[in-house]
Amino acid sequence: MTSSRISGFYNLSMDDRRAKIVDASHLSSEDLLPFTDGGLTPEAADHMIENVIGAYSLPVGIGINFQVNGRDVLVPFAIEEPSVVAGASFMAKLVRAGGGFQSTSSEPHMIGQMQVLDLDSIHAARLKIYEYKAALLAEADEIDPILKKLGGGARDLEVRIIEDSPIGAFLAVHLIYDVRDAMGANAVNTACERLASRIEDITGGRVHLRILSNLADRRLARARCSIPVEELAFTVGAGQSAQNEDAPAPGDHGGRTYTGQEVRDGVIEAWAFAASDPYRAATHNKGIMNGVDAVVIATGNDWRAIEAGAHAYAARSGRYTSLSTWGKDKDGNLVGTLEMPMAVGIVGGATRVHPAAQAAVKLMGVKTASELAEIIVSVGLAQNLAALRALSTEGIQRGHMSLHARQVAIAAGAEGDLIEKVAARLVEEKTVRIDRAEEILKNIKQ
Ligand code: MEV
């Protein structure tokens, strides 16, 4: 059984952190090797895309404290932005005090689209397609025998009239396909390509595009959390920042105390801004995607597809809005929800060929794509809370700057204890720049 509560994780050396992960999980130190060397050999990279000249690394950090549907999970984040892993881990700890994340997902149904043009009567063509629906579904169902054996296959067919187009009205046929544990793009695109000529025969029209839709609104993941209001209270600088329990800001001399009620109401007010204004909603949702994308990338999934789906879903009412909601229950606890498309897989694609992605999936102990989706959406909700909590209290710069200052100190050549010393001076001086870090380091060394 994995335990995701690892105290003092932040302050350990990288080797000690790896040892803790081995202790806390079912992984061996060999299992973690892909994270130490990036995982991808040049040869493997050369088989993934074209014109390869090498590989590109990102830091992988472990999100701790996460409990999803009663199960502890250590979550790998691949991301370049400071504060994300720390913020999500800290919020996961607060959520844990309220019973952890409750998460569900719909069936893994993807949508494939076929654009049918040059029709005499779009209305008649639409109904003709429905007349052949059973035969079309049966044909689509046979296309991927392996997927079928695993319980996937064609599920439904819908025909939409697209009235409002620059080239006049046409039909969009939607094929709903159960892709099980795959991301599903290949299966769906193949099925659409195969059905196209049948649809042309039935309608007398011309099938133009045949491609999946990234607005995967039949493949949703949802997470809910409830945080006891007293857990939200904190004092600025009292061994924690709003984003990071483990990383007191260097040079911090303490500050204002926030009650749990103040933090809760501040989060709800911040959410209300995003719920009603697209300018704020874009940034609010970006914060959610900070967490979501980091896990999507760590598991070798297509983060552009997830991004496209998320933002299209956020605009589904015709007005772009927040993907999450925040409110309070009758006991005054803070309650958050997040629902969004989550087209991720654990078989095929980069997830299968990238050793670090395999290690990431193994670390989380997920056996199905749905389980992975449920963890990712929980991480998105945690990350959203980290941002709203910080923004509605001390602002994000303080926590951000303290983490950033450490990175700048390291970049300036500081090692060991000197990292903290240089970072603390940078924060004190409110000048987090590499030239200043180099000067400070030189002075300390002298
Ligand atoms: C920064 O990467 C993300 C935030 O801007 C999100 C938000 O504003 O909610 C802090």
Side-chain angles (χ1 to χ4, degrees), residues 81 280 283-284 286-287 290 384 387-388 391 396:
E81 185 172 327
R280 174 57 205 152
T283 324
H284 175 100
K286 191 272 183 186
N290 276 345
N384 184 218
L388 298 189
L391 287 168
I396 60 162

Side-chain angles (χ1 to χ4, degrees), residues 162-179:
I162 309 288
E163 301 270 12
D164 212 6
S165 120
I167 55 162
F170 59 84
L171 292 183
V173 181
H174 281 196
L175 173 66
I176 316 299
Y177 216 83
D178 186 326
V179 298

Side-chain angles (χ1 to χ4, degrees), residues 206-226:
R206 172 169 64 92
V207 173
H208 190 46
L209 298 196
R210 299 146 295 169
I211 185 78
L212 103 162
S213 169
N214 287 124
L215 176 48
D217 62 0
R218 301 290 195 105
R219 196 180 190 181
L220 299 174
R222 312 172 189 97
R224 180 177 65 78
C225 66
S226 160

Side-chain angles (χ1 to χ4, degrees), residues 113-117 119 129 136 139-140 143 157 173 175 188-211:
Q113 294 194 292
M114 288 159 277
Q115 180 189 23
V116 194
L117 302 171
L119 295 164
I129 296 172
L136 287 165
E139 191 168 336
I143 288 167
L157 198 94
V173 181
L175 173 66
V188 171
N189 292 341
T190 307
C192 288
E193 290 191 5
R194 288 274 285 279
L195 283 196
S197 60
R198 288 278 291 130
I199 287 180
E200 287 181 341
D201 291 346
I202 293 166
T203 60
R206 172 169 64 92
V207 173
H208 190 46
L209 298 196
R210 299 146 295 169
I211 185 78

